[in-house]
Amino acid sequence: MNIILIVSDTFRYDYLRFNGNPWIKTPELDQLAQRSLVFDQCYLSSYPTIPQRTDLITGRYCFPHFGWQPLPEDWKTLAEYLREAGYVTQLICDTPHLLKRGYNFDRGFDGYYWIRGQEGDIAFTRMNDPIQLAIPHNKTRADYQLKKSSQSQSGLPAKVTLADRHKWLHKEWRYEEDRYMVKTAQATMRWLEDNYKASKFFLWVDFFDPHEPWDPPEYLVKQYDPNYQKLKYQMFHPNYGPAN
């Protein structure tokens, strides 16, 4: 038996059409729900990105007793159990927090593939281009990584936010194919084409979208607001708390 675990961070329960929402369009998820089982009373203990994944692959009740931190070395993961049982194991993700800074979520996988560049991850710098204001700084979250860099490198402003960084790194985004979710899905399809003959495999596909920054292709925005006009500042990366 092959096992595919798909994580998408995060859908609102009441924003899915198969859960009764009359105006949100989720045709692929609706079709999946029709062909499978929907667990309406399935709960995990954790909500934040890393504690939730820790629950998921260790079976432990973590948050709030176990916070946002790397996997402990002595906690055995689902991938490790399945590899011992003879499974080929593969992780494909664009969620940066799983693999950066030694968080160890690649443990137990024969292969892992990281689509770089999502929130908090700089794959390539653009030092020839100025970092410009994307959202008023009191409305969004500070970028502590670039703030540290700006203290020792010229060319960076004294204060940088995650919204500023997003626009700086992704200024050329135009098509749907530019987005990370599409790249992750394409990598997954390639992997399945190359491994479908495996006798048994465990594939974990982890999407960071629709997590902020909420910066979808414009044609998707206009499905819900046909008269949408771009504003000077788009609230695509809000703060985690009161915004003045």
Side-chain angles (χ1 to χ4, degrees):
M1 179 180 69
N2 296 324
I3 303 170
I4 301 177
L5 170 64
I6 301 175
V7 178
S8 191
D9 188 351
T10 305
F11 291 102
R12 278 181 50 160
Y13 180 92
D14 58 338
Y15 270 39
L16 300 173
R17 179 161 291 199
F18 65 84
N19 286 332
N21 189 291
W23 64 282
I24 296 291
K25 301 174 183 178
T26 54
E28 287 79 12
L29 292 175
D30 298 341
Q31 185 179 18
L32 177 62
Q34 291 173 359
R35 299 174 59 186
S36 55
L37 295 176
V38 177
F39 295 93
D40 291 318
Q41 299 184 40
C42 179
Y43 301 96
L44 293 174
S45 66
S46 307
Y47 179 73
T49 300
I50 287 298
Q52 191 276 337
R53 267 67 163 194
T54 305
D55 288 355
L56 193 62
I57 66 165
T58 66
R60 294 172 180 263
Y61 187 97
C62 296
F63 197 72
H65 311 290
F66 181 88
W68 188 296
Q69 61 195 82
L71 278 173
E73 293 184 3
D74 58 342
W75 286 19
K76 200 165 184 177
T77 67
L78 176 61
E80 290 176 294
Y81 282 113
L82 290 174
R83 188 162 65 174
E84 289 177 359
Y87 278 75
V88 174
T89 56
Q90 175 72 42
L91 169 63
I92 299 175
C93 72
D94 61 49
T95 303
H97 311 296
L98 299 180
L99 298 175
K100 64 184 294 189
R101 298 192 299 270
Y103 268 58
N104 304 321
F105 281 80
D106 57 317
R107 194 165 68 228
F109 287 97
D110 296 305
Y112 61 93
Y113 188 78
W114 178 12
I115 289 82
R116 298 287 306 273
Q118 279 277 29
E119 179 196 62
D121 176 47
I122 300 178
F124 293 96
T125 58
R126 293 179 177 270
M127 297 309 298
N128 292 344
D129 301 323
I131 300 179
Q132 298 178 346
L133 180 70
I135 298 174
H137 286 174
N138 65 332
K139 301 291 187 180
T140 186
R141 296 163 58 196
D143 185 334
Y144 296 102
Q145 181 177 343
L146 283 184
K147 182 178 180 180
K148 292 179 182 178
S149 299
S150 67
Q151 297 172 357
S152 59
Q153 298 183 30
S154 61
L156 289 172
K159 185 174 183 180
V160 181
T161 68
L162 289 176
D164 299 338
R165 180 205 289 196
H166 174 76
K167 288 299 185 183
W168 180 54
L169 295 177
H170 307 121
K171 65 176 185 176
E172 79 287 354
W173 273 11
R174 182 176 181 182
Y175 303 105
E176 190 171 42
E177 291 78 10
D178 298 327
R179 269 64 177 179
Y180 294 110
M181 178 172 279
V182 176
K183 294 179 180 179
T184 303
Q186 290 173 337
T188 299
M189 290 186 287
R190 286 197 300 270
W191 189 90
L192 288 170
E193 290 176 356
D194 284 339
N195 292 274
Y196 69 90
K197 292 182 180 179
S199 58
K200 51 185 180 180
F201 63 75
F202 169 53
L203 171 62
W204 176 8
V205 185
D206 201 293
F207 297 97
F208 198 51
D209 286 319
H211 194 288
E212 76 267 5
W214 300 306
D215 191 12
E218 192 166 337
Y219 84 91
L220 288 176
V221 176
K222 289 191 173 182
Q223 285 189 23
Y224 302 99
D225 186 0
N227 299 317
Y228 170 77
Q229 298 293 326
K230 282 189 175 181
L231 304 174
K232 181 179 180 180
Y233 298 121
Q234 298 171 272
M235 190 50 63
F236 62 89
H237 212 310
N239 204 346
Y240 280 0
N244 298 323

Short mmCIF file of all heavy atoms in Angstrom, two decimals, residues 3-7 56-57 78 92 202-206:
data_model
loop_
_atom_site.label_atom_id
_atom_site.label_comp_id
_atom_site.label_asym_id
_atom_site.label_seq_id
_atom_site.Cartn_x
_atom_site.Cartn_y
_atom_site.Cartn_z
N ILE A 3 1.31 5.37 0.56
CA ILE A 3 0.73 6.38 1.45
C ILE A 3 1.18 7.76 0.97
O ILE A 3 2.39 7.99 0.81
CB ILE A 3 1.17 6.17 2.91
CG1 ILE A 3 0.78 4.76 3.39
CG2 ILE A 3 0.56 7.24 3.81
CD1 ILE A 3 1.40 4.40 4.74
N ILE A 4 0.24 8.67 0.75
CA ILE A 4 0.56 10.05 0.40
C ILE A 4 -0.10 10.95 1.44
O ILE A 4 -1.31 10.93 1.61
CB ILE A 4 0.05 10.41 -1.02
CG1 ILE A 4 0.68 9.49 -2.07
CG2 ILE A 4 0.38 11.87 -1.33
CD1 ILE A 4 0.18 9.75 -3.48
N LEU A 5 0.73 11.72 2.13
CA LEU A 5 0.26 12.68 3.12
C LEU A 5 0.39 14.08 2.51
O LEU A 5 1.49 14.49 2.14
CB LEU A 5 1.11 12.58 4.39
CG LEU A 5 0.92 13.68 5.44
CD1 LEU A 5 -0.50 13.67 6.01
CD2 LEU A 5 1.95 13.54 6.56
N ILE A 6 -0.73 14.80 2.40
CA ILE A 6 -0.73 16.15 1.85
C ILE A 6 -1.14 17.12 2.96
O ILE A 6 -2.21 16.97 3.55
CB ILE A 6 -1.69 16.28 0.65
CG1 ILE A 6 -1.29 15.30 -0.46
CG2 ILE A 6 -1.70 17.72 0.11
CD1 ILE A 6 -2.26 15.28 -1.63
N VAL A 7 -0.30 18.09 3.22
CA VAL A 7 -0.58 19.13 4.21
C VAL A 7 -0.62 20.46 3.49
O VAL A 7 0.26 20.78 2.69
CB VAL A 7 0.50 19.16 5.31
CG1 VAL A 7 0.22 20.28 6.31
CG2 VAL A 7 0.58 17.82 6.02
N LEU A 56 1.59 15.62 14.03
CA LEU A 56 1.18 14.80 12.90
C LEU A 56 2.11 13.62 12.66
O LEU A 56 1.66 12.51 12.38
CB LEU A 56 1.11 15.68 11.64
CG LEU A 56 0.43 15.12 10.40
CD1 LEU A 56 -1.04 14.82 10.68
CD2 LEU A 56 0.56 16.11 9.25
N ILE A 57 3.42 13.85 12.76
CA ILE A 57 4.35 12.78 12.38
C ILE A 57 4.93 12.02 13.57
O ILE A 57 5.66 11.05 13.37
CB ILE A 57 5.49 13.32 11.51
CG1 ILE A 57 6.38 14.27 12.28
CG2 ILE A 57 4.95 13.97 10.25
CD1 ILE A 57 7.71 14.52 11.58
N LEU A 78 7.01 9.12 11.91
CA LEU A 78 6.27 8.22 11.03
C LEU A 78 7.16 7.72 9.90
O LEU A 78 7.12 6.54 9.54
CB LEU A 78 5.05 8.94 10.47
CG LEU A 78 4.20 8.20 9.45
CD1 LEU A 78 3.63 6.91 10.04
CD2 LEU A 78 3.07 9.11 8.94
N ILE A 92 8.51 16.27 0.02
CA ILE A 92 8.55 17.38 -0.93
C ILE A 92 7.81 18.53 -0.27
O ILE A 92 6.65 18.39 0.11
CB ILE A 92 7.90 17.01 -2.27
CG1 ILE A 92 8.65 15.85 -2.92
CG2 ILE A 92 7.88 18.22 -3.22
CD1 ILE A 92 8.00 15.33 -4.20
N PHE A 202 6.03 6.06 0.94
CA PHE A 202 5.39 7.09 1.75
C PHE A 202 5.86 8.43 1.22
O PHE A 202 7.05 8.76 1.27
CB PHE A 202 5.76 6.94 3.23
CG PHE A 202 5.37 8.11 4.09
CD1 PHE A 202 4.05 8.58 4.09
CD2 PHE A 202 6.30 8.75 4.91
CE1 PHE A 202 3.68 9.67 4.88
CE2 PHE A 202 5.94 9.82 5.70
CZ PHE A 202 4.63 10.29 5.69
N LEU A 203 4.93 9.23 0.73
CA LEU A 203 5.22 10.54 0.18
C LEU A 203 4.51 11.60 1.02
O LEU A 203 3.28 11.57 1.15
CB LEU A 203 4.74 10.62 -1.28
CG LEU A 203 4.78 12.00 -1.94
CD1 LEU A 203 6.21 12.54 -2.01
CD2 LEU A 203 4.16 11.94 -3.33
N TRP A 204 5.27 12.51 1.59
CA TRP A 204 4.72 13.64 2.33
C TRP A 204 4.92 14.89 1.48
O TRP A 204 6.05 15.27 1.19
CB TRP A 204 5.41 13.78 3.68
CG TRP A 204 4.98 14.98 4.51
CD1 TRP A 204 3.96 15.84 4.25
CD2 TRP A 204 5.59 15.44 5.72
NE1 TRP A 204 3.87 16.80 5.23
CE2 TRP A 204 4.86 16.58 6.15
CE3 TRP A 204 6.67 14.99 6.49
CZ2 TRP A 204 5.20 17.28 7.31
CZ3 TRP A 204 6.99 15.68 7.64
CH2 TRP A 204 6.26 16.82 8.05
N VAL A 205 3.81 15.55 1.11
CA VAL A 205 3.84 16.79 0.35
C VAL A 205 3.31 17.89 1.26
O VAL A 205 2.17 17.83 1.71
CB VAL A 205 2.98 16.68 -0.93
CG1 VAL A 205 3.13 17.96 -1.76
CG2 VAL A 205 3.36 15.46 -1.74
N ASP A 206 4.13 18.89 1.51
CA ASP A 206 3.77 19.93 2.47
C ASP A 206 3.77 21.30 1.79
O ASP A 206 4.81 21.82 1.41
CB ASP A 206 4.74 19.93 3.65
CG ASP A 206 4.14 20.60 4.88
OD1 ASP A 206 3.93 21.83 4.82
OD2 ASP A 206 3.89 19.90 5.88
#
